[in-house]
Amino acid sequence: MNWNNKISKVAVIAYTKMTAQFYASQLKKLFKENISLEVYSVEDSNLTSIVCDLIIASTYSIYEIVKTYVSNYDDIVIADITLTKDSLEKLRQIPTGTNAMLVNTTLEMAVETIALIYNSGITHINMFPVYPTISTIPPYDLAITPGEASLAPPSVNNIIDIGNRVLSMRTIIDIAVRLNLDDMLKNEEFQSCFGLLAQSDVGLERLWEQVSVLEKKLDLIMQIFDGGILLLNYGGNISFINKSAEKMLSIDKKLIIGAKLKDVLSEFYDSLVASLEIAQKDKIITFNSRLLSLSFYPLFDGAEALGTIILIREFTDMEKEQHKIRKQIIAKGHIAKYSFNDIAGKSKQMEMLKETAKKMALSDSSILICGESGTGKELFAQSIHNSSNRRNEPFIAINCASIPENLLESELFGYSEGAFTGAKKGGKLGYFEQAHKGTLFLDEISEMDLHLQSRLLRVLQEKEVIRIGGDSVINIDVRIISATNRNLKALIKQGKFRQDLYYRLNVLSINIPPLRQRKDDIPLLIEQLKERFHSTFKITKEAMELIKNCMWEGNVRELGNFVERLTCLDVDEVDIDIVRQFIDENEYFKPTLKDEENKLFLSLINQKHTNLKNYYSILKLLEINKKSGVKLGRRSISELLQKEGLIISPQEVRTILKNLESLNMVNILLGRSGTEITEFGIKACELLGEKYNSI
């Protein structure tokens, strides 16, 4: 967490744009919203005057170039590059004395990689640099490469890809300290990252120096923190108490340090919970005739329990009022009713999606849920809330399309007394205030007008609201989950949705597949719907196959209507003839295009007829891999098509993907994240496969 609430501006500079983007993505994954990144590369010649809080130069030679574009050399960090443990393990398996090529983009990069491998302790292989412009290729059958397998000579039969070189632990720590973000180094993401890196010279003296600084900062924070802090070791003995806690508990530190909490403060201990190994937030207790709000968190080093930290605050009148309001909100029904157990679906896609959503629930980051109408976006939103640490707080859902624009603003932000004609006496709480400590679900976020989008962006950035007609700033703690059935990137291009808001909402994302992409879930959904309607009818095998092969453009909502119709028939068995009474096969078995989609599809047919086979093949490959959750880059697409006998170079693939993106059939993701096919792209692929099956 960035205690200064300042987003640091960081520039990453390398010889190639791809390398700079890779290092930038590594930093973004670690530092998240605390930094904004700019990417520069020598090959793009886009170096200009650089004004940033910190500049990361990929090599010393890059540092020499960058110096001419900055005013302060101290703002430049020369990156130390390392390999992952998995990469080194691959190399250790190679027999001693083996001759191998080291394939990279340039001679300099190849030599650097060889030096890096040798410095990591791998010295039993004889490696020779190979790069695209080399005149004589060594006669070896093994190629080792850091993510550049496509550059290996055709004569090589054995390629070992050790993956991209990554920023070392020393470099990451250096960046965190320079940006005053060293408090983040104990986060799970950093610890996980450090665990994957190969052990190299990380500057232990400097590392211990930083640990010492962190300990001094922590001690200072605990002493000046306005609330009380109590630290227990694993055995339940008190190891630290600050002055505020002494005052609140009416106890002298000298009398309790080293003693067990339950022995010296038995009444306080009994007011907690049966186990201090379970985290809990804002528990209200009465102690010495005072209302106290307690939050306690177990401390772990990996799987080893270290103790517990207890935060103590006075429960003020304002907090009493907020507590009362939250109770009223829950009484009004602003709660999440559903959990992941209520989401029917045993397909691989849904199982993976639910597991991903469960992990996202543990975070407080904003989530964007995408999916067609009727796929269950609110069901996922409620399940995420009920699996989060906010499960005991309000869950408020609001449909941005169902409330008029002028009313939506007052509903979200509230208003003060006299703000406008007809305003209630005393004003009104907005949904943000009502959802304090809980979750606010904004459905159909794409329908929110630009003015409200600006206000929402400010709330997400500042974590505070001002009521309409008011002048008081109200701090809020709300997790935002938003949902849409539209392509927000397309709306950004049309100027109908703010790009900065999109990236604030889309910190984490879930894409719920439509029913036609998970047909095996349909029988399970039907059984669940039958229970809702108290139905007992059975469906024949032939009828079920017909139902499974329908398009179900309304998804689960449309399927529910269908089961309700069957229930009204009051029959024991539903056969294929009965199903056909309610299904227009001509309508259901072919993808239907909207007017705008039809224009784009015809544009593809008319303009790309000479190499339509290439377009179809790429769309089909993306569709197949989407079902397994894999996103492909242009090199991977080129290699996979080549195995099928279709020769399309990575450059040609890139051009085709750009054209498909302009037609809204694919989304090209940032960096090396690959490309994903859109729902419209899937429809277009199906129509191409039917109409041009001979291409």
Coordinates of all heavy atoms in Angstrom, one line a residue, residues 172-248:
I172 N 14.5 -5.1 -7.8 CA 13.1 -4.9 -7.4 C 13.1 -4.2 -6.0 O 12.3 -3.2 -5.8 CB 12.3 -6.2 -7.3 CG1 12.1 -6.8 -8.7 CG2 10.9 -6.0 -6.6 CD1 11.6 -8.2 -8.7
I173 N 14.0 -4.6 -5.1 CA 14.1 -4.0 -3.8 C 14.6 -2.6 -3.9 O 14.1 -1.6 -3.3 CB 15.0 -4.8 -2.9 CG1 14.4 -6.2 -2.5 CG2 15.4 -4.0 -1.6 CD1 15.4 -7.1 -1.8
D174 N 15.5 -2.3 -4.8 CA 16.1 -1.0 -5.0 C 15.0 -0.1 -5.5 O 14.8 1.1 -5.1 CB 17.2 -1.1 -6.1 CG 18.0 0.2 -6.2 OD1 17.8 1.1 -5.3 OD2 18.8 0.4 -7.1
I175 N 14.1 -0.5 -6.5 CA 13.0 0.3 -7.0 C 12.0 0.6 -5.9 O 11.6 1.7 -5.7 CB 12.3 -0.5 -8.1 CG1 13.3 -0.6 -9.3 CG2 11.0 0.2 -8.6 CD1 12.8 -1.5 -10.4
A176 N 11.7 -0.4 -5.1 CA 10.7 -0.2 -4.0 C 11.2 0.8 -3.0 O 10.4 1.7 -2.6 CB 10.4 -1.5 -3.3
V177 N 12.5 0.8 -2.6 CA 13.1 1.7 -1.7 C 13.1 3.1 -2.3 O 12.7 4.1 -1.6 CB 14.5 1.3 -1.2 CG1 15.1 2.3 -0.4 CG2 14.4 -0.1 -0.5
R178 N 13.5 3.3 -3.5 CA 13.6 4.6 -4.1 C 12.2 5.2 -4.3 O 12.1 6.5 -4.2 CB 14.3 4.5 -5.5 CG 15.8 4.2 -5.5 CD 16.3 4.0 -6.9 NE 17.7 3.8 -7.0 CZ 18.5 4.7 -7.4 NH1 18.1 5.9 -7.8 NH2 19.8 4.4 -7.5
L179 N 11.2 4.4 -4.5 CA 9.8 5.0 -4.6 C 9.1 5.1 -3.3 O 7.9 5.4 -3.3 CB 9.0 4.1 -5.6 CG 9.5 4.1 -7.1 CD1 8.7 3.1 -7.9 CD2 9.6 5.5 -7.7
N180 N 9.8 4.8 -2.2 CA 9.2 4.8 -0.9 C 8.0 3.8 -0.8 O 7.0 4.1 -0.2 CB 8.7 6.2 -0.5 CG 8.5 6.4 1.0 OD1 9.1 5.7 1.8 ND2 7.5 7.3 1.3
L181 N 8.2 2.7 -1.5 CA 7.2 1.6 -1.5 C 7.7 0.4 -0.8 O 7.2 -0.7 -1.1 CB 6.7 1.3 -2.9 CG 6.0 2.4 -3.6 CD1 5.7 2.1 -5.1 CD2 4.6 2.8 -3.0
D182 N 8.7 0.5 0.1 CA 9.4 -0.6 0.6 C 8.4 -1.4 1.6 O 8.7 -2.5 1.9 CB 10.7 -0.3 1.4 CG 10.5 1.0 2.2 OD1 9.4 1.6 2.2 OD2 11.5 1.4 2.9
D183 N 7.3 -0.7 2.0 CA 6.4 -1.4 2.9 C 5.6 -2.5 2.1 O 5.0 -3.4 2.7 CB 5.3 -0.4 3.5 CG 4.7 0.4 2.4 OD1 5.3 0.8 1.4 OD2 3.5 0.7 2.5
M184 N 5.7 -2.5 0.8 CA 5.1 -3.5 0.0 C 5.9 -4.8 -0.1 O 5.3 -5.9 -0.6 CB 4.8 -3.0 -1.4 CG 3.8 -1.8 -1.5 SD 3.5 -1.3 -3.2 CE 2.5 -2.8 -3.8
L185 N 7.1 -4.8 0.3 CA 8.0 -5.9 0.0 C 7.6 -7.2 0.7 O 8.0 -8.3 0.3 CB 9.5 -5.6 0.4 CG 10.1 -4.5 -0.5 CD1 11.5 -4.1 0.1 CD2 10.3 -5.0 -1.9
K186 N 6.8 -7.1 1.8 CA 6.3 -8.3 2.5 C 5.0 -8.8 1.9 O 4.5 -9.8 2.4 CB 6.2 -8.0 4.0 CG 7.5 -7.7 4.7 CD 7.3 -7.5 6.2 CE 8.6 -7.2 6.9 NZ 8.4 -7.0 8.3
N187 N 4.5 -8.1 0.9 CA 3.3 -8.6 0.3 C 3.5 -10.0 -0.4 O 4.6 -10.3 -0.8 CB 2.7 -7.6 -0.8 CG 2.2 -6.4 -0.1 OD1 2.2 -6.2 1.1 ND2 1.8 -5.4 -1.0
E188 N 2.4 -10.7 -0.5 CA 2.4 -12.1 -1.0 C 3.0 -12.1 -2.5 O 3.7 -13.0 -2.8 CB 1.0 -12.7 -1.0 CG 1.0 -14.1 -1.5 CD -0.4 -14.7 -1.5 OE1 -1.3 -14.0 -0.9 OE2 -0.7 -15.7 -2.1
E189 N 2.6 -11.0 -3.3 CA 3.1 -11.0 -4.7 C 4.6 -11.0 -4.7 O 5.3 -11.6 -5.5 CB 2.5 -9.8 -5.4 CG 1.0 -9.9 -5.7 CD 0.2 -9.4 -4.6 OE1 0.8 -9.1 -3.5 OE2 -1.0 -9.2 -4.7
F190 N 5.2 -10.1 -3.9 CA 6.7 -10.0 -3.9 C 7.3 -11.2 -3.4 O 8.3 -11.7 -3.9 CB 7.1 -8.8 -3.0 CG 6.9 -7.4 -3.6 CD1 5.6 -6.8 -3.6 CD2 7.9 -6.8 -4.3 CE1 5.4 -5.6 -4.2 CE2 7.7 -5.5 -4.9 CZ 6.4 -5.0 -4.8
Q191 N 6.8 -11.8 -2.3 CA 7.4 -13.0 -1.7 C 7.3 -14.2 -2.7 O 8.3 -14.9 -2.9 CB 6.7 -13.4 -0.4 CG 6.8 -12.4 0.7 CD 8.3 -12.1 1.0 OE1 9.1 -13.0 1.2 NE2 8.6 -10.8 1.1
S192 N 6.2 -14.2 -3.4 CA 6.1 -15.3 -4.5 C 7.0 -15.1 -5.6 O 7.7 -16.0 -6.1 CB 4.6 -15.3 -5.0 OG 4.5 -16.2 -6.0
C193 N 7.2 -13.8 -6.0 CA 8.1 -13.5 -7.1 C 9.6 -13.8 -6.7 O 10.3 -14.4 -7.4 CB 8.0 -12.0 -7.4 SG 9.3 -11.4 -8.6
F194 N 10.0 -13.4 -5.5 CA 11.3 -13.7 -5.0 C 11.6 -15.2 -4.9 O 12.7 -15.6 -5.2 CB 11.6 -13.0 -3.6 CG 11.6 -11.5 -3.6 CD1 11.4 -10.8 -2.5 CD2 11.7 -10.8 -4.8 CE1 11.4 -9.4 -2.5 CE2 11.7 -9.4 -4.8 CZ 11.6 -8.7 -3.7
G195 N 10.6 -15.9 -4.6 CA 10.7 -17.4 -4.5 C 11.0 -18.1 -5.8 O 11.5 -19.2 -5.9
L196 N 10.6 -17.4 -6.9 CA 10.8 -18.0 -8.2 C 12.2 -17.7 -8.8 O 12.6 -18.3 -9.8 CB 9.7 -17.5 -9.2 CG 8.3 -17.9 -8.9 CD1 7.3 -17.2 -9.8 CD2 8.1 -19.4 -9.0
L197 N 12.8 -16.6 -8.3 CA 14.1 -16.2 -8.9 C 15.2 -17.0 -8.5 O 15.3 -17.5 -7.4 CB 14.3 -14.7 -8.5 CG 13.3 -13.7 -8.9 CD1 13.7 -12.3 -8.4 CD2 13.0 -13.7 -10.4
A198 N 16.2 -17.2 -9.4 CA 17.4 -17.9 -9.1 C 18.2 -17.1 -8.1 O 18.2 -15.9 -8.1 CB 18.2 -18.1 -10.4
Q199 N 18.9 -17.8 -7.2 CA 19.7 -17.1 -6.2 C 21.0 -16.6 -6.8 O 21.7 -17.3 -7.4 CB 20.0 -18.0 -5.0 CG 18.8 -18.5 -4.2 CD 18.1 -17.3 -3.6 OE1 18.7 -16.4 -3.1 NE2 16.8 -17.4 -3.6
S200 N 21.1 -15.3 -6.7 CA 22.4 -14.7 -7.2 C 22.8 -13.6 -6.3 O 22.3 -13.5 -5.2 CB 22.1 -14.1 -8.6 OG 21.1 -13.1 -8.6
D201 N 23.8 -12.8 -6.6 CA 24.3 -11.8 -5.8 C 23.2 -10.7 -5.6 O 23.0 -9.9 -6.5 CB 25.6 -11.2 -6.3 CG 26.1 -10.0 -5.4 OD1 25.6 -9.9 -4.3 OD2 27.0 -9.3 -5.9
V202 N 22.5 -10.7 -4.5 CA 21.4 -9.7 -4.3 C 21.9 -8.6 -3.4 O 21.0 -7.8 -2.9 CB 20.2 -10.4 -3.8 CG1 19.6 -11.4 -4.8 CG2 20.4 -11.1 -2.5
G203 N 23.2 -8.6 -3.0 CA 23.6 -7.5 -2.1 C 23.1 -7.6 -0.7 O 22.2 -6.9 -0.3
L204 N 23.6 -8.7 0.0 CA 23.0 -9.0 1.3 C 23.2 -7.9 2.3 O 22.3 -7.6 3.1 CB 23.6 -10.3 1.8 CG 23.2 -11.6 1.1 CD1 23.9 -12.7 1.7 CD2 21.7 -11.8 1.2
E205 N 24.3 -7.2 2.2 CA 24.5 -6.1 3.2 C 23.4 -5.0 3.0 O 22.9 -4.5 3.9 CB 25.9 -5.4 3.0 CG 27.0 -6.3 3.4 CD 28.4 -5.6 3.3 OE1 28.4 -4.4 3.0 OE2 29.4 -6.3 3.6
R206 N 23.1 -4.7 1.7 CA 22.1 -3.7 1.4 C 20.7 -4.2 1.8 O 19.9 -3.4 2.3 CB 22.1 -3.3 -0.1 CG 21.1 -2.2 -0.4 CD 21.3 -1.7 -1.8 NE 20.5 -0.6 -2.0 CZ 20.5 0.1 -3.1 NH1 21.3 -0.2 -4.1 NH2 19.7 1.1 -3.3
L207 N 20.5 -5.5 1.6 CA 19.2 -6.0 2.0 C 19.0 -6.0 3.5 O 17.9 -5.5 3.9 CB 19.2 -7.5 1.5 CG 17.8 -8.2 1.6 CD1 16.7 -7.5 0.8 CD2 17.9 -9.6 1.1
W208 N 20.0 -6.3 4.3 CA 19.9 -6.2 5.7 C 19.7 -4.8 6.1 O 19.0 -4.4 7.1 CB 21.1 -6.8 6.4 CG 21.0 -8.3 6.4 CD1 21.8 -9.2 5.8 CD2 20.0 -9.1 7.1 NE1 21.3 -10.5 6.0 CE2 20.3 -10.5 6.9 CE3 18.9 -8.8 7.9 CZ2 19.5 -11.5 7.4 CZ3 18.1 -9.8 8.5 CH2 18.4 -11.1 8.2
E209 N 20.4 -3.9 5.4 CA 20.2 -2.4 5.7 C 18.8 -2.0 5.6 O 18.2 -1.3 6.4 CB 21.2 -1.6 4.8 CG 21.0 -0.1 5.0 CD 21.9 0.6 4.0 OE1 23.0 0.1 3.7 OE2 21.5 1.7 3.6
Q210 N 18.2 -2.5 4.5 CA 16.8 -2.1 4.2 C 15.9 -2.7 5.3 O 14.9 -2.1 5.7 CB 16.3 -2.6 2.8 CG 17.1 -1.9 1.7 CD 17.1 -0.4 1.8 OE1 16.1 0.2 2.2 NE2 18.1 0.2 1.4
V211 N 16.2 -4.0 5.7 CA 15.4 -4.6 6.8 C 15.4 -3.8 8.0 O 14.4 -3.5 8.7 CB 15.9 -6.0 7.0 CG1 15.2 -6.6 8.3 CG2 15.6 -6.9 5.8
S212 N 16.6 -3.3 8.4 CA 16.8 -2.4 9.5 C 16.0 -1.1 9.4 O 15.3 -0.7 10.4 CB 18.3 -2.0 9.7 OG 18.5 -1.2 10.8
V213 N 16.0 -0.5 8.2 CA 15.2 0.7 8.0 C 13.7 0.4 8.2 O 12.9 1.1 8.8 CB 15.4 1.2 6.6 CG1 14.4 2.3 6.3 CG2 16.8 1.8 6.5
L214 N 13.2 -0.8 7.6 CA 11.8 -1.2 7.8 C 11.4 -1.3 9.2 O 10.4 -0.9 9.6 CB 11.6 -2.5 7.0 CG 11.5 -2.4 5.5 CD1 11.5 -3.7 4.8 CD2 10.3 -1.5 5.0
E215 N 12.3 -2.0 10.0 CA 12.0 -2.2 11.4 C 11.9 -0.9 12.2 O 11.0 -0.7 13.0 CB 13.1 -3.1 12.0 CG 13.0 -4.6 11.6 CD 14.1 -5.4 12.2 OE1 15.1 -4.8 12.7 OE2 14.1 -6.6 12.1
K216 N 12.8 0.1 11.8 CA 12.7 1.4 12.5 C 11.4 2.1 12.1 O 10.8 2.7 13.0 CB 13.9 2.2 12.1 CG 15.2 1.7 12.7 CD 16.4 2.5 12.2 CE 17.7 2.0 12.8 NZ 18.9 2.7 12.3
K217 N 11.0 2.0 10.8 CA 9.8 2.6 10.4 C 8.6 2.0 11.1 O 7.7 2.7 11.6 CB 9.6 2.5 8.9 CG 10.5 3.4 8.1 CD 10.1 3.2 6.6 CE 10.9 4.2 5.8 NZ 10.6 4.1 4.3
L218 N 8.6 0.7 11.2 CA 7.5 0.0 11.9 C 7.4 0.3 13.3 O 6.3 0.6 13.8 CB 7.7 -1.6 11.7 CG 6.6 -2.4 12.4 CD1 5.3 -2.2 11.8 CD2 7.0 -3.9 12.3
D219 N 8.5 0.4 14.0 CA 8.5 0.8 15.4 C 7.9 2.2 15.6 O 7.1 2.5 16.5 CB 9.9 0.7 16.0 CG 9.9 1.0 17.5 OD1 9.3 0.2 18.2 OD2 10.5 2.0 17.9
L220 N 8.3 3.1 14.7 CA 7.8 4.5 14.8 C 6.3 4.5 14.5 O 5.6 5.2 15.2 CB 8.6 5.4 13.7 CG 8.1 6.8 13.6 CD1 8.4 7.5 14.9 CD2 8.9 7.5 12.5
I221 N 5.9 3.8 13.5 CA 4.4 3.8 13.2 C 3.6 3.3 14.4 O 2.6 3.8 14.7 CB 4.2 2.9 11.9 CG1 4.7 3.6 10.7 CG2 2.7 2.6 11.8 CD1 4.7 2.8 9.5
M222 N 4.1 2.2 15.0 CA 3.4 1.6 16.1 C 3.3 2.6 17.3 O 2.4 2.5 18.1 CB 4.0 0.3 16.5 CG 3.8 -0.8 15.5 SD 4.2 -2.5 16.1 CE 5.9 -2.4 16.4
Q223 N 4.3 3.4 17.5 CA 4.3 4.3 18.6 C 3.4 5.5 18.4 O 2.8 6.1 19.3 CB 5.7 4.8 18.9 CG 6.6 3.7 19.5 CD 6.1 3.3 20.9 OE1 5.3 3.9 21.5 NE2 6.7 2.1 21.4
I224 N 3.4 6.0 17.1 CA 2.6 7.3 16.9 C 1.2 7.0 16.3 O 0.4 7.9 16.1 CB 3.4 8.2 15.9 CG1 3.4 7.5 14.5 CG2 4.7 8.5 16.4 CD1 4.1 8.4 13.4
F225 N 0.9 5.7 16.0 CA -0.4 5.3 15.5 C -1.5 5.8 16.5 O -1.4 5.6 17.7 CB -0.5 3.8 15.3 CG -1.8 3.3 14.8 CD1 -2.4 3.8 13.6 CD2 -2.5 2.4 15.6 CE1 -3.6 3.3 13.2 CE2 -3.7 1.9 15.1 CZ -4.3 2.4 13.9
D226 N -2.5 6.5 16.0 CA -3.5 7.1 16.8 C -4.3 6.0 17.7 O -4.7 6.3 18.8 CB -4.5 7.9 16.0 CG -5.4 8.7 16.8 OD1 -4.9 9.3 17.8 OD2 -6.6 8.8 16.5
G227 N -4.4 4.8 17.1 CA -5.1 3.8 17.8 C -4.1 2.9 18.6 O -2.9 3.2 18.7
G228 N -4.7 2.0 19.3 CA -3.8 1.1 20.1 C -3.3 -0.1 19.4 O -4.0 -0.6 18.5
I229 N -2.1 -0.5 19.7 CA -1.5 -1.7 19.1 C -1.0 -2.7 20.1 O -0.3 -2.2 21.1 CB -0.4 -1.3 18.1 CG1 -0.9 -0.5 17.0 CG2 0.3 -2.6 17.6 CD1 0.2 -0.1 16.0
L230 N -1.4 -3.9 20.0 CA -1.0 -5.0 20.9 C -0.4 -6.1 20.1 O -1.1 -6.6 19.2 CB -2.2 -5.4 21.7 CG -1.9 -6.2 23.0 CD1 -1.2 -5.4 24.1 CD2 -3.2 -6.7 23.6
L231 N 0.8 -6.5 20.4 CA 1.4 -7.6 19.6 C 1.6 -8.8 20.6 O 2.1 -8.7 21.7 CB 2.8 -7.3 19.1 CG 2.9 -6.3 17.9 CD1 4.3 -6.1 17.5 CD2 2.0 -6.7 16.8
L232 N 1.1 -10.0 20.1 CA 1.3 -11.3 20.8 C 2.2 -12.2 20.0 O 2.1 -12.2 18.8 CB -0.1 -12.0 21.0 CG -1.2 -11.1 21.6 CD1 -2.5 -12.0 21.7 CD2 -0.9 -10.6 23.0
N233 N 3.1 -12.9 20.7 CA 3.9 -13.9 20.1 C 3.1 -15.2 19.9 O 1.9 -15.2 20.3 CB 5.2 -14.2 20.8 CG 5.0 -14.7 22.2 OD1 3.9 -15.3 22.5 ND2 6.0 -14.6 23.0
Y234 N 3.7 -16.2 19.3 CA 2.9 -17.4 19.0 C 2.3 -18.1 20.3 O 1.3 -18.7 20.2 CB 3.9 -18.5 18.3 CG 3.1 -19.7 18.0 CD1 2.1 -19.7 17.0 CD2 3.5 -20.9 18.6 CE1 1.4 -20.9 16.7 CE2 2.9 -22.1 18.2 CZ 1.8 -22.1 17.3 OH 1.2 -23.3 17.0
G235 N 3.0 -17.9 21.4 CA 2.5 -18.5 22.6 C 1.4 -17.7 23.3 O 0.9 -18.1 24.4
G236 N 1.0 -16.5 22.8 CA 0.0 -15.7 23.4 C 0.6 -14.7 24.4 O -0.2 -14.0 25.1
N237 N 1.9 -14.6 24.4 CA 2.5 -13.6 25.3 C 2.6 -12.2 24.7 O 2.8 -12.1 23.5 CB 3.9 -14.0 25.7 CG 3.9 -15.4 26.5 OD1 3.8 -16.4 25.8 ND2 4.1 -15.3 27.8
I238 N 2.4 -11.2 25.5 CA 2.4 -9.8 25.0 C 3.9 -9.4 24.7 O 4.7 -9.4 25.7 CB 1.7 -8.8 26.0 CG1 0.3 -9.3 26.2 CG2 1.8 -7.4 25.4 CD1 -0.4 -8.6 27.3
S239 N 4.2 -9.0 23.5 CA 5.6 -8.6 23.2 C 5.7 -7.1 22.9 O 6.8 -6.6 22.9 CB 6.1 -9.4 21.9 OG 5.2 -9.2 20.8
F240 N 4.6 -6.5 22.7 CA 4.6 -5.0 22.4 C 3.2 -4.4 22.7 O 2.2 -5.0 22.5 CB 5.0 -4.7 21.0 CG 5.0 -3.3 20.6 CD1 6.1 -2.5 20.9 CD2 3.8 -2.7 20.1 CE1 6.0 -1.1 20.5 CE2 3.8 -1.3 19.8 CZ 4.9 -0.5 20.0
I241 N 3.2 -3.2 23.3 CA 2.0 -2.4 23.5 C 2.4 -1.0 23.4 O 3.4 -0.5 23.9 CB 1.3 -2.7 24.8 CG1 0.0 -2.0 24.9 CG2 2.2 -2.5 26.0 CD1 -0.9 -2.3 26.1
N242 N 1.6 -0.2 22.6 CA 2.0 1.2 22.5 C 1.2 2.1 23.5 O 0.3 1.5 24.3 CB 1.7 1.8 21.0 CG 0.2 1.8 20.7 OD1 -0.6 1.3 21.4 ND2 -0.1 2.4 19.6
K243 N 1.5 3.3 23.6 CA 0.9 4.2 24.6 C -0.6 4.3 24.5 O -1.3 4.3 25.5 CB 1.6 5.6 24.6 CG 3.0 5.5 24.9 CD 3.7 6.9 24.9 CE 5.1 6.9 25.2 NZ 5.8 8.2 25.1
S244 N -1.1 4.3 23.3 CA -2.6 4.5 23.1 C -3.3 3.2 23.7 O -4.3 3.4 24.3 CB -2.9 4.6 21.6 OG -2.4 5.8 21.1
A245 N -2.7 2.1 23.4 CA -3.3 0.8 24.0 C -3.2 0.8 25.5 O -4.2 0.4 26.2 CB -2.6 -0.4 23.4
E246 N -2.1 1.3 26.1 CA -2.0 1.3 27.5 C -3.1 2.2 28.1 O -3.8 1.8 29.1 CB -0.7 2.0 27.9 CG 0.5 1.1 27.8 CD 1.8 1.7 28.3 OE1 2.0 1.7 29.5 OE2 2.6 2.3 27.5
K247 N -3.4 3.3 27.5 CA -4.4 4.2 28.0 C -5.8 3.6 27.8 O -6.6 3.7 28.8 CB -4.4 5.5 27.2 CG -5.3 6.6 27.6 CD -5.2 7.9 26.8 CE -6.2 8.9 27.3 NZ -6.0 10.2 26.5
M248 N -6.1 3.0 26.7 CA -7.4 2.4 26.4 C -7.7 1.3 27.4 O -8.9 1.1 27.8 CB -7.6 2.0 25.0 CG -7.6 3.1 24.0 SD -7.7 2.4 22.3 CE -7.4 3.8 21.3

